[in-house]
Amino acid sequence: MAGDDGDGIVDLLGDDYARTILRETYGDTKSVESLSEACDADSSTVYRRVQRLHDAGLLEDEQQLDPEGHHYKTYRARVRAVHLELSDDGFEVTVDRSESDAADRFTRLYEGFK
C-alpha cells in the first residue's frame, strides 16, 4: 500500500521490540503480557510499541473475554511484506498487509467464548 508514512515505518521496523512483536504475532494473537515476556521488556514499553504498530496499520487488535468475564486485547500482525524501493526521488515504502475480514474476526471472537 503506497502512501504510508514510509520513514515512520522504516524507523519503526528498526526497533528490536517492534520486530519481536511482529514476529510473535505473525499468524497468532498474543496478549501484551505474553509480548512483554517475549521482548523481555516491561508492559509499558510493549504498549507503546503496540500502539505505534497499530497506528501504522501493521498490527490489529482483537477483544478477548476470559472465563471470569474480563475483557482484554490480543494483537495479530497485519503485515506480510515491506518493500523499500530506491528511485531518483528517494525511497518509496510499500506495505503488503494481510486483510482479515469481519467474518474471520467474528469467528475468532466466537471461538474465544467457548
Side-chain angles (χ1 to χ4, degrees):
M1 203 179 243
D4 291 315
D5 176 16
D7 290 338
I9 289 176
V10 170
D11 288 344
L12 184 55
L13 294 177
D15 181 80
D16 288 337
Y17 294 137
R19 288 193 312 271
T20 299
I21 291 166
L22 288 173
R23 187 175 53 249
E24 291 292 319
T25 60
Y26 183 76
D28 194 17
T29 61
K30 301 282 180 163
S31 66
V32 167
E33 181 179 297
S34 175
L35 293 170
S36 294
E37 291 175 19
C39 291
D40 193 25
D42 63 281
S43 59
S44 63
T45 299
V46 172
Y47 272 116
R48 284 191 297 274
R49 294 321 188 285
V50 162
Q51 187 61 52
R52 289 182 62 203
L53 288 163
H54 187 271
D55 290 348
L58 303 178
L59 203 63
E60 67 182 354
D61 59 1
E62 296 179 16
Q63 193 79 314
Q64 303 292 331
L65 181 64
D66 69 19
E68 288 83 41
H70 298 97
H71 293 76
Y72 65 97
K73 287 185 179 179
T74 57
Y75 300 90
R76 179 188 307 271
R78 284 195 59 219
V79 62
R80 290 182 185 265
V82 176
H83 306 278
L84 184 64
E85 184 176 339
L86 177 60
S87 70
D88 291 336
D89 296 329
F91 290 98
E92 181 176 335
V93 176
T94 306
V95 179
D96 294 339
R97 291 179 174 83
S98 59
E99 297 297 328
S100 73
D101 62 15
D104 288 340
R105 288 192 305 270
F106 178 77
T107 300
R108 286 193 299 268
L109 180 64
Y110 177 76
E111 298 273 326
F113 286 124
K114 289 183 181 180

